[in-house]
């Protein structure tokens, strides 16, 4: 498969508290603190799609946008 790294190593699920965990091999060089959206296909294959991280300017734009409407939201919350 194009663009896919196949590892000779296999991993196994395990229980940690009430969660099932799969170890990501270090050879895949997956950085920490990256968000992924998990899904499972009809064959039972687990797929993790990386979620694009917001750039600092995008976070600022969102914050400024929300701040513009805070007075209106405060006014409407008790109605």
């Amino acid at each position: 498969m194009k663009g896919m790294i196949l590892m000779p190593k296999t991993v196994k699920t395990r229980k940690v508290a009430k969660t099932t965990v799969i170890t990501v091999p270090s050879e895949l060089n997956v950085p920490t603190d990256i968000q992924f959206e998990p899904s499972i296909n009809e064959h039972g294959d687990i797929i993790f799609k990386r979620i694009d991280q917001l750039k600092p300017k995008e976070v600022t734009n969102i914050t400024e946008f929300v701040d513009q409407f805070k007075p209106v939201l405060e006014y409407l919350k008790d109605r």
Side-chain angles (χ1 to χ4, degrees):
M1 297 177 128
K2 186 178 180 181
M4 186 177 232
I5 300 171
L6 297 176
M7 305 294 299
K9 182 186 229 181
T10 60
V11 294
K12 190 176 184 179
T13 59
R14 67 184 190 286
K15 275 294 215 193
V16 175
K18 293 182 179 183
T19 303
T20 302
V21 177
I22 299 176
T23 301
V24 177
S26 60
E27 295 87 0
L28 293 178
N29 297 318
V30 176
T32 58
D33 295 324
I34 300 297
Q35 292 184 341
F36 291 86
E37 180 181 73
S39 62
I40 190 164
N41 68 16
E42 65 276 3
H43 303 292
D45 300 322
I46 301 169
I47 302 160
F48 288 91
K49 292 183 181 178
R50 186 180 189 147
I51 298 173
D52 291 333
Q53 303 296 309
L54 292 176
K55 295 173 181 68
K57 181 66 178 164
E58 292 171 321
V59 172
T60 301
N61 289 346
I62 291 169
T63 303
E64 289 173 355
F65 178 81
V66 171
D67 287 346
Q68 290 177 5
F69 293 96
K70 274 189 179 174
V72 174
L73 294 172
E74 285 297 318
Y75 173 77
L76 293 174
K77 80 173 184 182
D78 296 325
R79 293 195 148 276

